[in-house]
């Protein structure tokens, strides 16, 4: 058996494994990413690239690649509530196409619509742009064991059965819902193992828009007298649609003829279409009890499984990758302390729990017409029906807006109580879903403020620690010296910028490589202790 040696072995080249490989590559850390499949995407899942993920893409320099994917940027993103696509419309929430979407005041970026079969190739191109990142398809992790200074993994080519060994200092399982790495570590998941038995079918229809008068929309939610029964999502903004049968316990799978009949029901008329794939799946709300430890970690769906309602799954997985990326670099370069990697679970697991719960709430709201039935008049033609539809539509839309506006979820996660954050004694602000107030309180994402020349404050962060100094007279030398003595990469940035000074609230603010505030104050009384805390050596 041949042996490969690598600092970091990443298992699974879904979006999270690709993002971790890219993040490590960008940091100059060699890694090997193995994937048991051939990289083809049987059924694209995610399509919402959240605003925080876009901020990471900005840092990685790949925003233009996302914008250049073939998703039509003028395709309207409405959510429409209908009895059937050709039936009655109860209401809609209007959203522009990507061309019309503007960044909110809190970010230099905005969320993007980019389905997995377009986004994965962007992440793959980014990861493999680094010569020190190796991506191997047809390479399945079979097992691994602890060895001196790392792990030894057995990898097999599923086509031939040929085996080889990889030794690594760290192993990260980004191997999805049925994670072999999580299972091997004996980590359980807690939460709700079954929310729905859903069936997704991708169908192709060339003239979908011409068949109905509802216009372009991202999602058509179909609600009958029995409640919400299906959704149709325009996954590539052209000819491909994901039909989702919400499903229930009594009927868990559907054959093609049943799927076809239900697509016709949701469309409200016969039409020509081709069913490309049918995938039954179980919607879950689960978070792993642990995210690994020592030399082996899990990230992405391996660590948390969520209802897609809200589009949080991949986005929080990529946040996992970014949290872990700089910590692995710190360990491999020798400046990370013995507690640094333990902070990964402490920081990321509460975010997982928060997000999967929110997603389940979104699901409940979407399915609420099952219990609080739509009034029967809403399915009648004429003015009485119109009145009932308007009333129901407005109520339903008010409920659903919590899912459509999630700035707080994507940007407002914070690392409260993390052992590598130095608290400043201020009270934790409320954790909101739809709104988001920026704060430079330790543990939070460092605020965006426009600096000169189209540059955001967040563009300063990423490589090492950044010490912002808003008053040139303030003494930063003890922090700089403490970092230097410990080999911690730290760059001081002097900012004479009133708006930034107001947003950051203190004279000195220490920002981590992942863009979260680690410490702030008007003077660094005990610089050595601050630097030791933030590098996990306290
Ligand atoms: C219908 C639907 C819509 C969604 N929409 C969104 C959305 O809009 N936004 C969002 O953020 N999330 C969304 N999600 C969730 C999102 O798709 C997942 O969270 C995301 O794909 C998880 O990525 P991952 O890389 O962790 O895992 P996966 O995508 O599952 O990738 C894991 C990879 O590991 C490989 N693998 C497994 N075992 C091994 C092994 N032993 N050796 C080697 N390779 C292995 C697998 O082949 C696979 O390629 C949606 C999910 C669904 C079902």
């Amino acid at each position: 058996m041949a042996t490969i040696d690598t600092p970091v072995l990443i298992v699974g080249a879904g979006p999270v494994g690709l993002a971790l490989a890219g993040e490590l590559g960008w940091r100059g850390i060699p890694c090997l990413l193995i994937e048991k499949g051939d990289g083809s995407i049987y059924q694209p899942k995610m399509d919402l690239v959240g605003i925080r993920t876009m901020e990471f893409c900005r840092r990685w320099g790949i925003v233009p690649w996302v914008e250049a994917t073939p998703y039509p940027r003028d395709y309207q993103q409405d959510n429409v509530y209908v009895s059937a696509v050709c039936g009655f419309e109860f209401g809609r929430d209007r959203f522009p196409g990507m061309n019309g979407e503007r960044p909110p005041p809190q970010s230099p970026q905005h969320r993007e619509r980019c389905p997995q079969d377009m986004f994965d190739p962007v992440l793959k191109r980014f990861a493999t742009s680094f010569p020190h990142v190796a991506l191997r398809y047809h390479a399945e992790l079979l097992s691994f064991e602890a060895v001196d200074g790392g792990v030894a993994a057995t990898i097999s080519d599923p086509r031939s059965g040929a085996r080889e060994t990889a030794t690594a200092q760290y192993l990260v399982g980004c191997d999805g819902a049925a994670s072999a790495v999580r299972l091997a570590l004996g980590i359980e998941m807690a939460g709700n193992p079954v929310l729905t038995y859903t069936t997704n079918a991708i169908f192709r229809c060339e003239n979908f828009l011409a068949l109905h008068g509802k216009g372009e929309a991202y999602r058509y939610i179909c609600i009958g007298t029995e409640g919400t029964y299906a959704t149709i999502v325009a996954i590539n903004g052209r000819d491909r649609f994901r039909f989702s049968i919400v499903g229930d316990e009594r009927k868990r799978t559907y054959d093609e003829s049943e799927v076809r009949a239900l697509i016709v029901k949701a469309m409200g008329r016969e039409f020509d279409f081709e069913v490309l794939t049918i995938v039954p799946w179980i919607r879950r709300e689960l978070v792993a009890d642990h995210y690994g430890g020592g030399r082996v970690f899990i990230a992405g769906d391996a660590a948390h499984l969520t209802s897609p309602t809200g589009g949080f799954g991949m986005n929080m997985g990529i946040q996992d990758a970014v949290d872990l990326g700089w910590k692995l670099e710190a360990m491999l370069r020798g400046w990370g302390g013995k507690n640094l990697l333990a902070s990964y679970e402490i920081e990321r697991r509460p975010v997982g729990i928060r997000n999967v719960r929110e997603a389940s709430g979104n699901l409940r709201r979407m399915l609420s017409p099952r219990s609080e039935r739509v009034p029967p008049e809403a399915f009648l033609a004429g003015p009485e029906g119109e009145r009932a539809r308007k009333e129901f539509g407005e109520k339903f839309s008010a409920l659903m807006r919590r899912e459509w506006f999630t700035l707080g979820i994507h940007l407002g996660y914070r690392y409260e109580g993390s052992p590598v954050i130095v608290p400043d004694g201020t009270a934790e602000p409320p954790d909101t879903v739809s709104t988001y107030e920026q704060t430079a309180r330790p543990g939070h994402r460092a605020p965006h403020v426009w600096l000169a020349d189209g540059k955001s404050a967040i563009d300063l962060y990423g490589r090492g620690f950044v010490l912002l100094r808003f008053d040139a007279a303030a003494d930063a030398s003890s922090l700089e010296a403490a970092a230097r003595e410990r080999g911690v990469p730290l760059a001081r940035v002097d900012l004479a910028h009133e708006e930034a000074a107001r947003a950051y609230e203190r004279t000195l603010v220490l920002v981590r490589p992942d863009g979260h505030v680690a410490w702030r104050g008007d003077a660094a009384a005990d610089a050595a202790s601050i630097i030791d805390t933030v590098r996990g050596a306290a």
Side-chain angles (χ1 to χ4, degrees):
M1 271 201 298
T3 298
I4 315 156
D5 190 39
T6 177
V8 185
L9 175 63
I10 305 169
V11 184
V16 175
L18 288 165
L20 179 59
E23 167 77 9
L24 289 173
W26 186 77
R27 297 189 171 285
I29 299 295
C31 59
L32 169 64
L33 172 58
I34 58 168
E35 164 58 50
K36 67 180 175 184
D38 64 1
S40 36
I41 294 162
Y42 180 68
Q43 206 183 75
K45 294 187 288 184
M46 58 63 54
D47 51 41
L48 175 82
V49 182
I51 188 166
R52 186 63 176 149
T53 304
M54 286 309 297
E55 290 183 351
F56 299 144
C57 290
R58 180 182 176 93
R59 179 193 299 172
W60 296 331
I62 61 172
V63 168
W65 300 0
V66 179
E67 290 173 349
T69 56
Y71 190 90
R73 299 189 67 76
D74 52 356
Y75 187 86
Q76 294 288 117
Q77 297 292 307
D78 293 10
N79 292 294
V80 191
Y81 319 124
V82 292
S83 61
V85 178
C86 296
F88 294 121
E89 179 171 324
F90 303 116
R92 76 168 62 208
D93 285 300
R94 293 182 190 278
F95 292 93
M98 286 306 111
N99 276 342
E101 182 93 22
R102 296 283 170 267
Q106 299 93 330
S107 179
Q109 294 299 144
H110 58 72
R111 59 188 171 189
E112 282 286 339
R113 186 70 68 201
C114 185
Q116 189 176 7
D117 49 355
M118 299 181 194
F119 192 54
D120 275 15
V122 166
L123 292 173
K124 176 183 168 187
R125 180 179 162 200
F126 173 57
T128 56
S129 68
F130 302 103
H132 45 280
V133 172
L135 167 58
R136 294 261 306 268
Y137 289 115
H138 305 294
E140 179 174 10
L141 175 86
L142 293 185
S143 62
F144 61 89
E145 58 180 355
V147 293
D148 200 20
V151 289
T154 305
I155 299 168
S156 155
D157 182 334
R159 298 165 303 180
S160 64
R163 292 187 176 196
E164 58 194 331
T165 306
T167 55
Q169 280 156 277
Y170 296 96
L171 184 151
V172 186
C174 301
D175 47 349
S179 170
V181 176
R182 188 187 67 232
L183 293 176
L185 292 174
I187 298 174
E188 303 281 335
M189 297 187 100
N192 189 340
V194 183
L195 296 173
T196 63
Y197 292 95
T198 295
T199 299
N200 282 359
I202 304 290
F203 70 87
R204 179 163 46 209
C205 174
E206 298 288 347
N207 60 340
F208 186 81
L209 277 178
L211 296 172
H212 61 81
K214 301 293 185 297
E216 289 180 356
Y218 164 67
R219 178 158 32 174
Y220 306 83
I221 298 183
C222 303
I223 305 166
T225 49
E226 74 277 39
T228 310
Y229 61 92
T231 60
I232 295 180
V233 167
I235 51 169
N236 68 353
R238 287 198 177 88
D239 62 344
R240 270 160 217 244
F241 300 85
R242 179 172 56 234
F243 177 64
S244 213
I245 306 165
V246 177
D248 66 34
E249 219 177 356
R250 286 160 302 168
K251 179 140 179 67
R252 297 183 184 185
T253 53
Y254 295 80
D255 63 26
E256 185 168 339
S257 66
E258 291 171 315
V259 168
R260 290 191 71 88
L262 285 166
I263 290 175
V264 168
K265 174 184 168 182
M267 193 61 185
R269 60 170 284 182
E270 293 285 347
F271 68 114
D272 285 334
F273 61 96
E274 183 190 356
V275 173
L276 301 176
T277 56
I278 299 176
V279 174
W281 59 287
I282 299 175
R283 192 188 304 253
R284 305 183 193 277
E285 178 195 316
L286 292 175
V287 176
D289 292 344
H290 295 289
Y291 278 24
R295 300 216 169 243
V296 184
F297 298 88
I298 53 175
D301 276 19
H304 37 71
L305 292 170
T306 182
S307 169
T309 38
F312 305 146
M314 173 202 74
N315 289 301
M316 70 173 142
I318 292 183
Q319 292 161 18
D320 295 342
V322 169
D323 188 274
L324 196 51
W326 73 269
K327 293 174 181 172
L328 288 172
E329 179 191 1
M331 300 312 291
L332 289 162
R333 296 206 193 278
W335 56 265
K338 62 182 189 319
N339 303 321
L340 185 61
L341 283 172
S343 71
Y344 165 61
E345 172 180 319
I346 297 169
E347 294 185 346
R348 293 302 308 161
R349 193 169 165 272
V351 181
I353 294 170
R354 159 197 193 251
N355 290 5
V356 301
R357 284 189 183 148
E358 180 60 26
S360 297
N362 288 336
L363 175 70
R364 275 194 299 279
R365 284 180 280 279
M366 186 179 90
L367 298 186
S368 61
R370 286 184 162 192
S371 45
E372 293 160 40
R373 289 287 160 89
V374 188
E377 303 79 54
F379 298 93
L380 297 177
E384 192 192 354
E386 270 164 35
R387 258 193 314 278
R389 279 189 286 283
K390 185 165 181 293
E391 200 176 307
F392 166 71
E394 282 172 2
K395 229 171 71 189
F396 189 64
S397 153
L399 273 185
M400 293 304 293
R401 268 184 228 135
R402 182 172 169 127
E403 178 174 341
W404 312 145
F405 297 97
T406 51
L407 205 54
I409 290 288
H410 286 275
L411 295 180
Y413 60 93
R414 71 284 305 264
Y415 300 143
E416 198 68 17
S418 165
V420 297
I421 297 285
V422 186
D424 69 354
T426 53
E428 185 183 356
D431 191 3
T432 50
V433 171
S434 298
T435 56
Y436 168 60
E437 211 166 300
Q438 301 200 88
T439 170
R441 188 174 166 268
H444 296 250
R445 159 192 169 274
H448 151 72
V449 176
W450 285 118
L451 306 176
D453 306 329
K455 198 170 168 183
S456 162
I458 70 168
D459 296 337
L460 298 168
Y461 317 132
R463 296 286 179 189
F465 280 84
V466 170
L467 179 61
L468 296 176
R469 187 170 68 159
F470 290 101
D471 176 355
D475 183 11
S477 60
S478 58
L479 280 169
E480 289 175 285
R484 205 169 36 247
E485 280 156 21
R486 290 157 179 80
V488 175
L490 182 149
R492 194 192 74 224
V493 175
D494 287 339
L495 270 186
H497 193 283
E498 264 181 46
E499 195 190 340
R502 266 197 310 280
Y504 282 78
E505 295 180 312
R506 299 290 186 276
T507 311
L508 297 168
V509 182
L510 183 62
V511 182
R512 312 196 308 190
D514 62 351
H516 279 250
V517 176
W519 169 87
R520 66 176 178 173
D522 291 324
D526 189 352
S529 148
I530 292 169
I531 296 296
D532 278 342
T533 301
V534 303
R535 72 185 183 98

